[in-house]
């Protein structure tokens, strides 16, 4: 386990994933009944962009940094973008340079109501320790140092809560991660039929992504939407050319909102302005 998210926090991939995550959370927040989020690969929860790790790669500068430089989005910026930027902004002091970035656990925890719950899993002992420390005062957030895939069986369906989301965001260090993810998505859906299931993946070239979606189709899963953000055409498989989020049972109007959000960030995140987004229905309801 070499991957540490502190090197990548706030990069373009985090922005796309977290903006879409917030769209889903806003939908869940519309109803008064509580919901549960299971975040299977949580990382540290909250990141210091002045820390050695973030400074070493500087990835965040071409991600959230591009938006920190222009903290007031234009009047025409869509609500999906202003909502996300305002949540990220709430982790930073108003009159000093922004240097903190919320990972998925901090972003989720920031919108929870008393009736909602968040279950976080993180396998790396150091990151799990930081994660636990970050949420020690929030009783609705449970932190487990354990395998997130194994957590599906342990925590689904959530006790007492009928609605919710399973977010899977593995580091893709293993060559069979797409297959593992597809199986995990099916297992999550079976165990929590009322839940939304979302999984992030990297795009180097298109072939592995096509196979991943074919696998989900062949498993007989229904109601799947895929969102992709490309920094450039994925012609060089040695580079990270984009990333995607595949969502099973997305909320009402998710496709429209995802398109609006991704189109608002894609040109800014792409160094040479070639960035673009695609939102595609993979399987009908
Ligand atoms: N979801 C986080 C966010 O958006 O802020 C980032 C997660 S990062 C991409 C992936 C994390 O998964 C790493 O912190 C890594 O240590 C952890 N990890 C790797 N394998 C795992 C496993 N089997 N179960 C749980 N966590 C794992």
């Amino acid at each position: 386990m070499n991957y540490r998210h502190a090197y990548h926090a706030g990069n373009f991939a985090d922005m796309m994933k977290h903006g879409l995550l917030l769209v889903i959370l806003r939908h869940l927040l519309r109803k008064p009944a509580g919901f549960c989020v299971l975040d299977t690969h949580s990382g540290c929860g909250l990141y210091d962009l002045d820390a050695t790790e973030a400074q070493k790669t500087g990835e965040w500068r071409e991600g959230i940094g591009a938006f920190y430089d222009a903290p007031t989005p234009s009047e025409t910026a869509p609500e999906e973008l202003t909502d996300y930027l305002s949540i990220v902004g709430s982790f930073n002091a108003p009159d000093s340079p922004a240097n903190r970035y919320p990972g998925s656990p901090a972003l989720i925890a920031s919108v929870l109501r008393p009736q909602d719950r968040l279950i976080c899993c993180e396998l790396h002992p150091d990151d799990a320790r930081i994660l636990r420390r970050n949420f020690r005062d929030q009783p609705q957030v449970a932190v487990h140092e354990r395998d997130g895939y194994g957590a599906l069986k342990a925590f689904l369906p959530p006790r007492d809560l009928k609605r919710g989301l399973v977010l899977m965001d593995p580091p893709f260090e293993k060559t069979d991660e797409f297959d593992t993810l597809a199986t995990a998505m099916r297992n999550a859906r079976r165990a929590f039929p009322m839940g939304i299931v979302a999984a992030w993946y990297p795009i180097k070239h298109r072939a592995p992504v096509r196979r991943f979606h074919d696998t989900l189709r062949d498993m007989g899963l229904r109601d799947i939407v895929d969102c992709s953000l490309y920094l450039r055409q994925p012609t060089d498989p040695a580079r990270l050319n984009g990333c995607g989020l595949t969502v099973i049972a997305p909320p009402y109007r998710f496709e429209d909102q995802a398109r609006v959000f991704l189109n608002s960030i894609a040109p800014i995140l792409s160094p040479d302005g070639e960035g673009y987004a695609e939102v595609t229905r993979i399987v009908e309801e």
Side-chain angles (χ1 to χ4, degrees):
M1 270 180 53
N2 293 319
Y3 184 94
R4 305 296 300 278
H5 197 65
Y7 289 93
H8 311 287
N11 70 1
F12 82 96
D14 262 7
M15 280 200 70
M16 88 80 82
K17 170 186 26 182
H18 296 152
L20 296 177
L21 170 62
L22 187 59
V23 169
I24 295 173
L25 291 169
R26 289 290 178 218
H27 167 85
L28 289 168
L29 286 161
R30 264 189 220 133
K31 288 191 185 158
F35 62 83
C36 176
V37 182
L38 171 58
D39 186 350
T40 59
H41 297 72
S42 290
C44 300
L46 181 64
Y47 299 90
D48 175 3
L49 300 177
D50 289 334
T52 318
E53 294 90 338
Q55 288 293 325
K56 189 167 178 189
T57 62
E59 284 184 23
W60 65 272
R61 291 181 198 285
E62 289 186 345
I64 194 67
F67 293 82
Y68 284 160
D69 290 344
T72 315
S74 80
E75 280 174 17
T76 55
E79 194 187 334
E80 291 78 2
L81 176 60
T82 54
D83 189 19
Y84 162 75
L85 290 177
S86 132
I87 295 260
V88 174
S90 70
F91 285 88
N92 288 287
D95 298 324
S96 49
N99 63 355
R100 297 204 324 157
Y101 184 80
S104 50
L107 187 140
I108 298 163
S110 74
V111 300
L112 292 185
R113 305 162 301 181
Q115 64 268 40
D116 307 320
R117 275 192 292 136
L118 168 61
I119 303 170
C120 296
C121 300
E122 169 55 49
L123 198 53
H124 195 295
D126 295 345
D127 286 0
R129 195 171 346 103
I130 299 169
L131 184 65
R132 186 164 287 128
R133 200 178 56 212
N134 278 331
F135 295 103
R136 66 183 160 208
D137 297 327
Q138 293 198 41
Q140 295 141 283
V141 183
V143 172
H144 301 270
E145 183 185 328
R146 61 168 298 161
D147 170 35
Y149 291 128
L152 299 173
K153 203 165 181 190
F155 299 125
L156 296 180
R159 217 179 325 124
D160 306 331
L161 297 174
K162 291 197 168 57
R163 306 184 307 129
L165 165 70
V166 181
L167 174 68
M168 301 185 204
D169 183 18
F172 274 82
E173 288 185 303
K174 296 183 182 153
T175 50
D176 61 353
E177 195 76 66
F178 270 118
D179 291 336
T180 308
L181 200 52
T183 304
M185 289 180 87
R186 180 190 59 192
N187 292 345
R189 189 78 182 128
R190 275 188 188 157
F192 188 20
M194 303 284 279
I196 300 164
V197 179
W200 180 92
Y201 61 85
I203 302 177
K204 292 188 168 178
H205 57 131
R206 287 186 200 272
V209 179
R210 268 194 221 113
R211 275 199 297 276
F212 171 52
H213 290 152
D214 285 347
T215 307
L216 294 176
R217 263 189 222 101
D218 293 346
M219 285 173 166
L221 293 165
R222 311 284 313 162
D223 194 9
I224 309 179
V225 166
D226 182 71
C227 307
S228 315
L229 177 78
Y230 295 89
L231 297 179
R232 62 189 81 82
Q233 290 291 338
T235 45
D236 178 358
R239 300 179 77 185
L240 181 62
N241 295 306
C243 61
L245 190 81
T246 299
V247 185
I248 307 181
Y252 175 64
R253 287 195 56 238
F254 174 73
E255 285 167 79
D256 295 340
Q257 290 182 284
R259 215 168 270 125
V260 165
F261 174 71
L262 294 178
N263 284 333
S264 73
I265 62 170
I268 300 167
L269 293 177
S270 155
D272 39 22
E274 282 178 37
Y276 62 100
E278 284 173 359
V279 176
T280 320
R281 182 159 274 282
I282 304 290
V283 186
E284 294 304 319
E285 283 178 48

